[in-house]
């Protein structure tokens, strides 16, 4: 990269640098951009686009001398970023979300300097960000973009009936109308086609669930969007892919079934899961993943409107749960394919598994059964009893998923009875057959991993949700 002049080659190699964990290369790329004198404008733009995609503020004065003829760095780098398609747009939105409020405002203010017409689509994507100040900045900025596309976008914003922004939208429109800028012709309504297919994974014991939705688009290809959901934090991650053939879409769905255990579901149910997760994300008052704002354009607004719709237990089942309390087969649920993801693998589990290994080595065979039984009771108490409410909610979600995927009624009823039993005063992790088996399976998996030289404590930080990550 210190020697390369071809813009395409620079872009390809700079893209590969993102795969290295050691980010010392970033300082070198900045030095390359500032010190090389043999780069043409296209080469400089390629380097700056790479830096911008890595979160560097290329609008800072440090880079201003690279464009003495004016126009600003963004006017040079943004078109190159947009040439990368969805990947480039996602990089831009990701950088936008990571900026301070002042940084986001400065970036919006500079967008009119970019003459590329694709900037209007980018501004519409940014308008979807759940931040009132971002929306106000964009509406005001659109009033300075003298083209019919800006009028169209403002008119669409006005039709959304967001009263908070109606006066500001009307002012920007009046300004453009006064300057003689009008949208010509009739605007074609976006056509949303029926879904091609949908699938989802069973909820796991950490609260995660995967949803996949695909639908054909106007050019005849298929777009597929993958959501990773969490029952407390909402939408955790989003990925998408476009221009798929039906065969390629099927290949992706098959691979997802193998990796995530997804099963076919009705699109309406998949959307319900996503909408509930959106509601939870809004409650958390945090930005959604950048990919969500980009891939949302393939959905109708009502399809992704936040809606609290978590399942709940039917009334009047207390007696069923009590009657089934002595059901010795409850623990066998964990052998069902739907419960494959029900294994804890956090730091505390590995601490206890390590203690287990030590007890096995120093305890005499005659005493081992008694010692391990006492140890398991303590492990259940520490790991599970504080989390009964969370576990119950996840079991309720499991019964909902089972019903949606046509699971046998007796398995659904047994899972529902386990969920109901966790709310009973006598439920204790150390005696409950389902919870005892759940803790034992998790400890055994951790113990086996330690014996094979793998320790989750060296690879992951449990973070704020130490019990369930």
């Amino acid at each position: 990269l210190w020697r390369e002049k071809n813009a395409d080659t620079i872009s390809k190699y700079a893209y590969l640098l993102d795969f290295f964990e050691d980010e010392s290369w970033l300082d070198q790329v900045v030095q390359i951009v500032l010190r090389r004198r043999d780069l043409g404008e296209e080469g400089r733009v390629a380097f700056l686009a790479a830096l911008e995609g890595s979160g560097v503020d290329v609008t800072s004065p440090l880079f201003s001398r690279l464009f003495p003829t004016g126009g600003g760095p963004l006017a040079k780098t943004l078109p190159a970023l947009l040439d990368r398609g969805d990947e480039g747009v996602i990089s831009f939105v990701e950088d936008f979300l990571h900026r301070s409020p002042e940084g986001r405002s400065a970036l919006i203010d500079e967008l009119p300097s970019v003459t590329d017409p694709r900037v209007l689509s980018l501004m519409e994507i940014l308008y979807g960000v759940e931040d009132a100040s971002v929306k106000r900045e964009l509406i005001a900025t659109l009033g300075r973009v003298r083209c019919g596309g800006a009028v169209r976008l403002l008119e669409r914003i006005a039709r959304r009936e967001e009263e908070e922004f109606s006066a500001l939208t009307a002012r920007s429109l009046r300004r453009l109308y006064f300057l003689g800028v009008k949208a010509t012709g009739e605007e074609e309504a976006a056509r949303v086609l029926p879904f091609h297919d949908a699938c989802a994974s069973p909820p796991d014991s950490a609260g995660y669930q995967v949803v996949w939705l695909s639908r054909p688009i106007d050019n005849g290809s298929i777009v597929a969007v993958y959501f990773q959901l969490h029952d407390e934090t909402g939408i955790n991650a989003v990925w998408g892919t476009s221009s798929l053939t039906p065969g390629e879409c099927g290949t992706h769905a098959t691979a997802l079934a193998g990796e995530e255990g997804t099963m076919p579901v009705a699109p309406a149910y998949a959307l319900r899961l996503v909408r509930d997760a959106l509601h939870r994300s809004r409650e958390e008052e945090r930005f959604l993943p950048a990919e969500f704002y980009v891939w949302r354009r393939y959905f109708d607004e009502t399809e992704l409107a936040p809606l609290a719709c978590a399942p709940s237990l039917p009334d009047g089942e207390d007696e069923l749960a009590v009657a089934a309390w002595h059901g010795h087969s409850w623990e066998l649920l964990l052998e069902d394919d739907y419960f494959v993801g029900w294994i804890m693998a956090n730091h505390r589990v590995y601490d206890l598994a390590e203690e287990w290994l030590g007890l096995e080595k120093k305890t005499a065979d005659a005493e081992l059964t008694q010692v391990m039984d006492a140890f398991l009771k303590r492990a259940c108490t520490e790991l599970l009893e504080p989390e009964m409410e969370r576990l119950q909610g996840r079991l309720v979600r499991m019964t909902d998923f089972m019903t949606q995927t046509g699971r046998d009624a007796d398995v659904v009823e047994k899972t529902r009875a386990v969920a109901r039993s966790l709310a009973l005063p006598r439920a204790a992790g150390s005696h409950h057959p389902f919870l005892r088996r759940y803790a034992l399976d998790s400890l055994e998996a951790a113990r086996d991993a330690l014996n094979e030289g793998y320790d989750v404590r060296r690879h992951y930080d449990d973070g704020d949700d130490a019990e369930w990550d």
Side-chain angles (χ1 to χ4, degrees):
L1 286 174
W2 278 99
R3 298 186 298 272
E4 185 58 52
K5 296 181 180 180
N6 182 276
D8 288 339
T9 305
I10 289 169
S11 295
K12 290 174 182 177
Y13 276 92
Y15 170 75
L16 290 175
L17 289 172
D18 275 334
F19 290 93
F20 290 89
E21 291 182 9
D22 180 5
E23 293 190 357
S24 60
W25 57 265
L26 197 58
D27 292 333
Q28 279 204 60
V29 175
V30 171
Q31 291 303 313
I32 291 171
V33 174
L34 296 177
R35 291 168 59 184
R36 281 187 61 176
R37 298 289 181 269
D38 59 339
L39 277 173
E41 184 171 295
E42 288 187 357
R44 287 198 301 272
V45 167
F47 272 118
L48 287 172
L51 288 175
E52 190 166 48
S54 299
V56 175
D57 181 9
V58 298
T59 65
S60 68
L62 181 67
F63 300 101
S64 60
R65 67 177 179 79
L66 299 176
F67 298 98
T69 57
L74 191 64
K76 306 291 184 180
T77 61
L78 186 52
L81 201 61
L82 296 177
D83 285 341
R84 290 165 54 192
D86 290 324
E87 178 192 323
V89 176
I90 289 167
S91 293
F92 180 88
V93 176
E94 205 162 45
D95 171 56
F96 179 84
L97 297 177
H98 281 99
R99 290 177 180 238
S100 66
E102 296 76 18
R104 290 194 289 271
S105 177
L107 194 56
I108 291 171
D109 192 57
E110 197 179 347
L111 286 173
S113 69
V114 184
T115 57
D116 193 309
R118 293 174 294 180
V119 168
L120 286 170
S121 297
L122 184 60
M123 293 176 81
E124 187 162 15
I125 288 171
L126 294 180
Y127 187 80
V129 173
E130 302 82 2
D131 186 292
S133 61
V134 167
K135 293 179 186 292
R136 281 193 289 268
E137 290 276 356
L138 283 163
I139 292 169
T141 301
L142 282 165
R144 298 175 8 230
V145 181
R146 299 188 184 187
C147 72
V151 174
R152 286 271 189 233
L153 179 49
L154 284 167
E155 289 174 344
R156 285 199 295 277
I157 291 171
R159 287 196 296 272
R160 290 174 184 173
E161 299 179 357
E162 295 183 79
E163 190 174 340
E164 182 183 355
F165 311 111
S166 58
L168 186 58
T169 305
R171 188 182 308 130
S172 287
L173 280 169
R174 280 198 305 272
R175 185 178 190 279
L176 291 177
Y177 292 154
F178 178 78
L179 294 171
V181 182
K182 294 183 180 178
T184 57
E186 293 292 326
E187 182 178 19
E188 291 186 15
R191 193 163 67 111
V192 179
L193 298 173
F195 286 100
H196 177 72
D197 63 8
C199 60
S201 68
D204 67 20
S205 59
Y208 291 98
Q209 193 169 14
V210 166
V211 170
W212 154 283
L213 283 156
S214 65
R215 74 182 341 149
I217 51 181
D218 280 337
N219 65 9
S221 62
I222 295 174
V223 61
V225 185
Y226 167 111
F227 301 87
Q228 186 194 63
L229 314 179
H230 189 266
D231 62 2
E232 291 181 347
T233 58
I235 294 185
N236 245 40
V238 180
W239 292 274
T241 183
S242 58
S243 304
L244 295 174
T245 65
E248 289 170 334
C249 188
T251 300
H252 278 274
T254 301
L256 198 61
E259 295 166 7
E260 302 283 358
T262 55
M263 305 175 193
V265 296
Y269 171 67
L271 285 173
R272 173 157 67 85
L273 294 175
V274 175
R275 294 181 68 185
D276 182 66
L278 275 169
H279 168 75
R280 293 174 188 278
S281 291
R282 295 285 169 84
E283 285 190 323
E284 293 280 311
E285 295 184 346
R286 64 187 180 91
F287 288 138
L288 295 164
E291 291 87 346
F292 173 81
Y293 301 108
V294 176
W295 292 105
R296 180 168 58 184
R297 70 186 186 274
Y298 293 108
F299 295 84
D300 181 84
E301 283 187 24
T302 58
E303 290 177 338
L304 294 185
L307 179 67
C309 46
S312 58
L313 286 170
D315 293 331
E317 287 192 349
D318 286 324
E319 291 184 7
L320 172 63
V322 172
W325 173 252
H326 298 292
H328 63 278
S329 63
W330 273 4
E331 70 274 14
L332 299 181
L333 277 175
L334 288 161
E335 297 177 10
D336 192 279
D337 289 343
Y338 282 61
F339 285 91
V340 167
W342 282 62
I343 292 287
M344 289 179 285
N346 57 53
H347 287 204
R348 186 58 188 143
V349 171
Y350 272 69
D351 288 343
L352 289 167
E354 192 169 53
E355 186 179 340
W356 182 354
L357 287 170
L359 284 172
E360 285 183 322
K361 290 176 182 176
K362 68 182 183 182
T363 305
D365 291 346
E367 302 174 357
L368 188 60
T369 300
Q370 184 177 352
V371 168
M372 292 313 302
D373 185 64
F375 171 79
L376 182 58
K377 286 180 180 178
R378 178 168 65 85
C380 287
T381 300
E382 290 184 24
L383 294 172
L384 301 178
E385 290 191 12
E387 305 298 332
M388 290 294 207
E389 189 176 343
R390 278 178 169 177
L391 270 176
Q392 184 189 40
R394 286 159 189 172
L395 283 166
V396 173
R397 285 179 177 270
M398 179 67 85
T399 64
D400 185 42
F401 180 81
M402 287 177 166
T403 301
Q404 293 290 332
T405 52
R407 196 71 177 87
D408 296 343
D410 62 328
V411 179
V412 178
E413 289 173 8
K414 185 176 288 187
T415 306
R416 188 176 289 126
V418 173
R420 178 69 74 182
S421 73
L422 297 189
L424 299 177
R426 64 183 296 181
S430 57
H431 300 293
H432 196 291
F434 178 87
L435 295 180
R436 190 178 172 91
R437 172 68 179 272
Y438 172 47
L440 181 61
D441 286 354
S442 299
L443 288 167
E444 285 182 339
R447 183 190 61 175
D448 292 344
L450 288 171
N451 280 329
E452 293 172 9
Y454 177 81
D455 189 340
V456 75
R457 296 168 295 185
R458 293 200 300 266
H459 295 273
Y460 300 104
D461 179 9
D462 277 347
D464 295 332
D465 195 12
E467 292 300 320
W468 299 99
D469 277 0

